[in-house]
Amino acid sequence: MSRSLRGAAAVAGIGSTPYYKRGTSPHSALRLILEAILAACADAGLDAHDVDGFVSYANDLNEGLAVGAALGVREVRWSTMVWGGGGGGVAAAVNAAAAAVACGQAENVIVYRGITEADDGRQSYGKGHFPPLLSAHGVLTPVQVCALRTQRMLEVDGVPWSALEALVQASYYHAQRNPDAVGYGRPLDHETYAGSRWVSEPLRLFDCSRENDGAAAVLVTSAERARELRSVPAFVLSGVQGAGPGWSESAENNASYTSAGFHPAMVARLWAEAGLKPGEVDVVQVYENFSGPAVASLIDLGLCPPGAEAGSFMTVPNLVAPDGALPVNTAGGNIAEGFVHGIGLVLEAVRQIRGTSASQVPGADVSLLLGGPVAPLVSATVFGSAVTV
Amino acid sequence: MPEPLTTEPPALDGPVPAELVAIAERHGQVVAAGDHAATLADFRPDRTGQLLGSARLPGRLVSSRLLRLRAEPDGLVAAFIRYTAADGSQTVLRSRWIKLDQGWRVTQVRNVPDTPPVIAAAGPRDDGLDRPHWEGLRAGEVRVQRCAPCGHWIWAPQPLCPRCHSFDLTWPAVDPAGTIYSWTRTWQPFSPELSGHLPFVVVLAELPAAGGRRLLGVLRDGDGADVRVGQAVRGFIDLAPSPDAWPVLRWSLS
């Protein structure tokens, strides 16, 4: 009996609302989620009443059962919330949906995330992660924790500052080609980046993701069904989630402190199940709460060399589509496209397999999604085109 | 008491452009007058929110006085302005000015001398898991959780020893001497409680006496400190601001 996820499930539909400036959504988060789900189902050519599973992450305020009731689905067979770690759950949510489909627990599972400032409040992504052992010392927000880890990565590991800027510049470069991106029409030059205000050293304003109102959803179904539906399937080749030994909520006592949290056994499982090596990845969507942790993710995955050598790999030409060695965040990512807890990265990972990205990597057959660096939980999904399964 | 109308001129340290004297004096006057629009006009436009939230002044100011201008690296000039409130209290802000195309603008501002933020959430979490640590601070000690049978140091505190699964946990006092494992200087006013204390440096200190466990704390006198990983630090306990509040661990470069 096979215990592999490989090729059993696929994303067959994607949908999203616009990225609204935070606090300006005309509708509730629930309404935005419903809009996104209807769009994902329409994209797939599936009647939304046939959705039978819901997965979200990061304590989305709107439970799958409530969403299902609003949609009037015939039956809810699968309802999962990924615990822990904010955006670290994004790929884990896709994996949970794929697992449900792969073992026949459900047929059409929606993965969704929706946020509005009116419903969720400011900085909802950090809620519950700042107990007094952090907050008493003025450590109130994720950027400060990520700054502590990034500072050591720069100062001790020797990763050069330029690696952070290259990731940010690549994100803005791609956003200029994506009319749906919040950063569209706002190119970023070196002087603006380097002259921007400190948020928490070593992270400046442009090292930080945005905070938007919005929602997005993807439909995960069986590989067989996905082939019958309207859109090109993005098959799930492998998926991992978790936290390694000595990781997770520990008041900054994590082992491998400058890691993003993708420990070696987890990374090995990801590549082994996919039957791939890091060099075979065509394009990456890497969750960037902040630039430093995204660089740490790429190092953890073996996609970027550690230490000082990271600087020779992390250059804008290497990171941009169509010709870079490893294009990253081709829609602009959380930094330049918009931020709804990273759900937008899933949609872009799928677009690359479909060949419909505004910054398409020609012939992309392997598309990697990385969720939640430095968060208590991290996760990853490898998507592949039909030729990979 | 309002400042007298005629005062001695500000002290000038280093090559300070002459035009800044009048600019900084006028800035003090518009701030003291509560002229919000004129105050904002003096700020560097890409960071007005951060600047407004960084410094803290009492309400009802009656006067200002430019004490000193100091030339600093990268062409910046620091202006020390003392504000007097209606109740007679005095507050000094240090604004750093930068020459942009549109003229001199404030690019940083802070209260001086620097003091660490005092956070109301300091103290035990609701489930009491870390209460012995906070009670230790009240007793003048830095206590870190340790497993009695196997000696494993545990931080953040846990209900049981993750290594041997004993529930027999102790809270020995440790020598709060360590080295900087990492650090960050925070500039953004994430909470009103931070205003008046920005920027401040948070240090993650590794303690040999606690098995290498790492404890967070604000660095005392962090204003302008050249902080580096590996520097030696020593812990101090700031007394609670009120009887029902809790003391807080701080670090100091040793």
Side-chain angles (χ1 to χ4, degrees), chain B residues 87-101:
Chain B
D87 63 4
S89 65
Q90 294 190 317
T91 306
V92 178
L93 301 188
R94 183 190 67 210
S95 47
R96 284 207 165 101
W97 295 71
I98 187 172
K99 184 76 177 284
L100 303 177
D101 291 343

Side-chain angles (χ1 to χ4, degrees), chain A residues 283-306:
Chain A
V283 57
V284 180
Q285 309 305 317
V286 54
Y287 191 106
E288 4 70 294
N289 34 21
F290 309 98
S291 59
V295 174
S297 292
L298 298 175
I299 292 172
D300 283 357
L301 269 289
L303 298 165
C304 168

Side-chain angles (χ1 to χ4, degrees), chain A residues 57 86-95 111 287 341-343 345-346 369-372 379:
Chain A
Y57 58 99
V90 61
V94 175
N95 302 342
V111 177
Y287 191 106
H341 230 150
I343 187 76
L345 298 170
V346 185
L369 168 70
L370 298 175
S379 59

Side-chain angles (χ1 to χ4, degrees), chain B residues 17-35:
Chain B
E19 78 237 40
L20 254 180
V21 175
I23 291 171
E25 280 183 339
R26 183 180 171 282
H27 176 72
Q29 288 160 6
V30 300
V31 170
D35 187 339

Side-chain angles (χ1 to χ4, degrees), chain A residues 228-296:
Chain A
E228 296 161 2
L229 291 170
R230 178 187 296 160
S231 291
V232 175
F235 296 93
V236 175
L237 299 185
S238 69
V240 292
Q241 64 154 309
W247 193 259
S248 222
E249 308 276 2
S250 66
E252 299 308 289
N253 278 264
N254 311 55
S256 306
Y257 189 66
T258 59
S259 155
F262 294 95
H263 57 92
M266 183 182 188
V267 171
R269 279 200 302 275
L270 181 77
W271 298 132
E273 182 165 39
L276 294 166
K277 297 189 287 290
E280 295 174 281
V281 171
D282 294 312
V283 57
V284 180
Q285 309 305 317
V286 54
Y287 191 106
E288 4 70 294
N289 34 21
F290 309 98
S291 59
V295 174

Side-chain angles (χ1 to χ4, degrees), chain A:
Chain A
M1 174 184 158
S2 167
R3 292 182 63 207
S4 173
L5 206 55
R6 194 181 195 287
V11 172
I14 60 177
S16 67
T17 69
Y19 288 102
Y20 299 101
K21 186 177 169 65
R22 65 174 175 80
T24 69
S25 167
H27 302 297
S28 68
L30 176 58
R31 159 88 185 238
L32 298 184
I33 288 166
L34 294 167
E35 288 179 10
I37 291 173
L38 291 175
C41 291
D43 176 53
L46 182 87
D47 180 351
H49 296 102
D50 289 335
V51 170
D52 59 3
F54 297 92
V55 181
S56 190
Y57 58 99
N59 300 324
D60 193 288
L61 289 184
N62 289 289
E63 280 190 24
L65 280 293
V67 174
L71 285 170
V73 299
R74 291 177 233 287
E75 185 183 7
V76 175
R77 298 171 61 187
W78 185 263
S79 173
T80 296
M81 166 57 66
V82 176
W83 270 342
V90 61
V94 175
N95 302 342
V101 166
C103 61
Q105 289 288 306
E107 294 298 324
N108 303 308
V109 181
I110 286 286
V111 177
Y112 66 94
R113 184 79 175 99
I115 298 175
T116 68
E117 192 172 304
D119 292 324
D120 297 74
R122 235 4 257 290
Q123 302 192 343
S124 56
Y125 44 81
K127 275 181 189 155
H129 296 295
F130 294 86
L133 289 177
L134 276 72
S135 63
H137 308 297
V139 178
L140 307 176
T141 64
V143 65
Q144 294 166 286
V145 167
C146 292
L148 284 164
R149 314 239 189 147
T150 301
Q151 179 61 34
R152 189 172 169 91
M153 183 178 82
L154 298 178
E155 206 178 320
V156 177
D157 296 356
V159 171
W161 219 305
S162 64
L164 276 57
E165 180 177 359
L167 185 105
V168 175
Q169 294 287 4
S171 301
Y172 269 84
Y173 176 93
H174 291 135
Q176 303 322 304
R177 286 144 188 83
N178 174 11
D180 296 329
V182 177
Y184 179 71
R186 301 177 194 175
L188 180 66
D189 59 28
H190 170 74
E191 288 67 32
T192 305
Y193 169 82
S196 65
R197 60 188 179 269
W198 292 119
V199 175
S200 198
E201 296 178 33
L203 301 174
R204 294 180 180 275
L205 177 68
F206 287 100
D207 292 302
C208 301
S209 55
R210 294 164 178 276
E211 210 179 334
N212 293 101
D213 288 359
V218 302
L219 171 70
V220 176
T221 188
S222 67
E224 297 72 33
R225 190 179 188 98
R227 287 192 181 92
E228 296 161 2
L229 291 170
R230 178 187 296 160
S231 291
V232 175
F235 296 93
V236 175
L237 299 185
S238 69
V240 292
Q241 64 154 309
W247 193 259
S248 222
E249 308 276 2
S250 66
E252 299 308 289
N253 278 264
N254 311 55
S256 306
Y257 189 66
T258 59
S259 155
F262 294 95
H263 57 92
M266 183 182 188
V267 171
R269 279 200 302 275
L270 181 77
W271 298 132
E273 182 165 39
L276 294 166
K277 297 189 287 290
E280 295 174 281
V281 171
D282 294 312
V283 57
V284 180
Q285 309 305 317
V286 54
Y287 191 106
E288 4 70 294
N289 34 21
F290 309 98
S291 59
V295 174
S297 292
L298 298 175
I299 292 172
D300 283 357
L301 269 289
L303 298 165
C304 168
E309 284 180 48
S312 51
F313 181 80
M314 295 292 292
T315 63
V316 176
N318 255 356
L319 300 179
V320 297
D323 298 324
L326 189 69
V328 300
N329 294 5
T330 44
N334 294 324
I335 284 178
E337 184 188 31
F339 175 90
V340 182
H341 230 150
I343 187 76
L345 298 170
V346 185
L347 278 64
E348 177 64 10
V350 170
R351 283 188 211 104
Q352 286 289 351
I353 295 297
R354 292 180 172 186
T356 59
S357 169
S359 292
Q360 182 63 40
V361 174
D365 288 314
V366 178
S367 175
L368 174 64
L369 168 70
L370 298 175
V374 171
L377 177 88
V378 296
S379 59
T381 305
V382 179
F383 293 103
S385 70
V387 305
T388 66
V389 290

